[in-house]
Amino acid sequence: MAAHAAPPSPGGPDETPEAVAARVTGRSVTGRRRLSAGVTEVTLAAGGSVIVKHGEEARAVRAEAAGLRWLAEAGAVPVPAVRGEEAYWLVTDRVSPGEPTAEAAERFGRDLAALHASGAAAFGAPPPGGPREAYIGRAPMRDVPGAEWPRWYAEHRVLPYLRRAVDEGTVGPAEARPVEEVCGRLPELAGPPEPPARLHGDLWNGNVLWGADGRAWLIDPAAHGGHRETDLAMLRLFGCPGLDRILGAYRQAAPLAEGWRDRIGLHQLFPLLVHTVLFGRGYAGQAVAAARSALRA
């Protein structure tokens, strides 16, 4: 008699998005649409859809779910509600898509200022219930609390990715020197001290969804306590519709310290080095240029 393969275990990596959605929501499934390799939109009976995301690491799922809940607690920028999480799966509400408008951009700026102002326990503090060994995209990210932003930023957001890039040969030793110099001079380059802000942590354009309700929604956070200028610098790095309106409304709601424009390169070092580690040599030159820009400020 031929042996039969065991069915996928509930919540296991081989389960289907449809099965996960049905179990988490308690509703039958009528359709699915794959959005990317690990993200599926699942249509439920009686209307409505959810987003089912597959994670390769259990702690990545846990970190994202905790981050979404933490951002939602601020009552500022809307985020999709978490329907459920399992070892390899995260199920959230779907955001009905709309178009970016001037009004939505300005409200996003004000809402983002309110999100940051809701604060964090410390620089590097993970969301409540989130793991310290978290992720930004597919790159490991350690959420280790620190009292002073310059030292913490160097030790936990810049140097780990620089060292990995050098070890892998993506960044040469000579190219690493301006980045290392920035880290050594961070206390003087960082600007006036600020309290820890509640950061989205991976705030590039792809993680901003313009909803049918006329608001900007945030997805896929790498949330932690950090410096608010880091979120703004990342938003500028990869562009965003209505960016000038977003920043203008943000600054009206929560003025930035003098010299913030000169510190953009400093805060972009983190995402650029993460991209260098994940995607290779193409981002190395941008990271070095950002370091040199910070040193000239």
Side-chain angles (χ1 to χ4, degrees), residues 46-80:
S49 300
V50 292
I51 299 299
V52 181
K53 186 172 182 179
H54 178 266
E56 295 182 4
E57 292 282 347
R59 67 177 184 266
V61 173
R62 184 176 153 212
E64 184 172 341
L68 285 170
R69 293 187 177 106
W70 191 47
L71 298 182
E73 285 173 4
V77 186
V79 299

Side-chain angles (χ1 to χ4, degrees), residues 126-292:
R132 288 196 174 189
E133 301 296 331
Y135 279 82
I136 177 168
R138 298 194 312 276
M141 182 183 79
R142 298 194 71 219
D143 284 335
V144 179
E148 298 179 354
W149 183 79
R151 179 176 179 180
W152 169 83
Y153 184 67
E155 290 184 357
H156 299 292
R157 289 297 181 266
V158 177
L159 291 176
Y161 303 100
L162 177 66
R163 290 168 183 148
R164 178 173 165 181
V166 170
D167 289 346
E168 294 175 351
T170 311
V171 172
E175 294 173 309
R177 281 196 280 273
V179 180
E180 292 167 340
E181 185 178 351
V182 167
C183 290
R185 292 180 54 191
L186 264 171
E188 66 180 271
L189 298 174
E194 293 212 2
R198 188 171 306 200
L199 298 191
H200 175 278
D202 192 9
L203 193 57
W204 71 287
N205 179 45
N207 288 340
V208 179
L209 299 184
W210 301 93
D213 61 353
R215 301 185 69 182
W217 292 62
L218 297 182
I219 61 169
D220 297 348
H224 61 277
H227 197 301
R228 60 194 181 122
E229 291 179 15
T230 304
D231 260 0
L232 299 179
M234 190 180 296
L235 197 62
R236 178 180 288 273
L237 179 61
F238 298 109
C240 185
L243 181 59
D244 289 342
R245 288 184 179 271
I246 295 169
L247 294 177
Y250 184 103
R251 293 172 59 205
Q252 285 185 346
L256 297 168
E258 184 177 354
W260 67 272
R261 289 183 180 85
D262 296 331
R263 294 188 292 272
I264 291 172
L266 171 66
H267 288 274
Q268 288 179 346
L269 270 179
F270 168 45
L272 284 170
L273 286 169
V274 169
H275 276 70
T276 300
V277 164
L278 289 177
F279 304 115
R281 180 72 189 166
Y283 288 96
Q286 286 182 258
V288 174
R292 289 176 174 150

